[in-house]
Amino acid sequence: MRALLTFAVLAALALPGTSAARHQGASDGTLSVQSGRGAITISARGGVIGSFARGSVRISDPIDGDGTGPIVTGDEWSTERDATTSTWGGTKVRFRIIGGSFRIVVRGRGINLSLVGTGKVTLDGAGTGDDGSYSVNGGEYLALPVFSFPFSLSSTTP
């Protein structure tokens, strides 16, 4: 009986996550960055979860209430540019924004992030020879480019 009750509780807890996963649009693409160094710019609709070892993140959330809004932890400083844009920086900073439209610019080193959504991305490695790697739509990880590399992200992005 205890095992059955435990299973029922776990199944009930899993349902909200399952229903949220269904809201991913058919055209949503994915981007993963590991140990990045340089700058990553994202203008998209979807969700981003990320962190960096040292640097800054500027997040613009132009439509109030269309998602979680920016959530940033571990920052050592922050500045508010205007009512919809703020910048946070320091070491070992974590950030996320889930749902809705947003623009994010991450600059620094040790950048790790995951993006699900559609929009425009620009990758720009620092040119150190070891600027980290990225993967699009579950593909092979490639070295971050040492030049500004813009592309549109969707489920059809190669």
Side-chain angles (χ1 to χ4, degrees), residues 6-19:
T6 301
F7 176 76
V9 169
L10 290 174
L13 291 173
L15 287 177
T18 304
S19 65

Side-chain angles (χ1 to χ4, degrees), residues 82-99:
D82 56 41
T84 62
T85 305
S86 294
T87 304
W88 297 264
T91 57
K92 298 182 181 176
V93 176
R94 296 178 179 277
F95 58 92
R96 71 178 181 250
I97 184 166
I98 308 296

Side-chain angles (χ1 to χ4, degrees), residues 15 23 25 29 41 59 64 69 75-79 82 88 92 106-107 116-117 121 135 139 149 151-152 157:
L15 287 177
H23 289 100
T41 303
I59 302 175
D64 190 33
D75 58 304
E76 296 167 2
W77 57 268
S78 66
T79 59
D82 56 41
W88 297 264
K92 298 182 181 176
V106 184
R107 297 180 190 281
V116 176
V121 175
S135 170
F149 176 61
F151 62 95
S152 294
T157 302

Side-chain angles (χ1 to χ4, degrees), residues 4-155:
L4 183 58
L5 180 60
T6 301
F7 176 76
V9 169
L10 290 174
L13 291 173
L15 287 177
T18 304
S19 65
R22 276 189 261 143
H23 289 100
Q24 179 179 346
S27 63
D28 284 354
T30 63
L31 170 70
S32 173
V33 175
Q34 294 180 340
S35 301
R37 180 180 286 229
I40 299 165
T41 303
I42 300 166
S43 292
R45 180 168 187 79
V48 173
I49 298 174
S51 66
F52 51 85
R54 178 177 300 276
S56 66
V57 60
R58 184 176 69 219
I59 302 175
S60 297
D61 184 13
I63 303 171
D64 190 33
D66 70 341
T68 64
I71 299 169
V72 180
T73 60
D75 58 304
E76 296 167 2
W77 57 268
S78 66
T79 59
E80 189 173 305
R81 184 174 193 177
D82 56 41
T84 62
T85 305
S86 294
T87 304
W88 297 264
T91 57
K92 298 182 181 176
V93 176
R94 296 178 179 277
F95 58 92
R96 71 178 181 250
I97 184 166
I98 308 296
S101 298
F102 51 83
R103 178 175 164 81
I104 295 178
V105 180
V106 184
R107 297 180 190 281
R109 63 179 172 83
I111 301 168
N112 297 295
L113 66 80
S114 296
L115 162 67
V116 176
T118 57
K120 301 206 178 296
V121 175
T122 301
L123 304 174
D124 193 0
T128 66
D130 185 18
D131 290 338
S133 58
Y134 75 100
S135 170
V136 175
N137 292 334
E140 179 182 345
Y141 275 87
L142 305 170
L144 276 176
V146 296
F147 53 87
S148 183
F149 176 61
F151 62 95
S152 294
L153 181 68
S154 72
S155 61

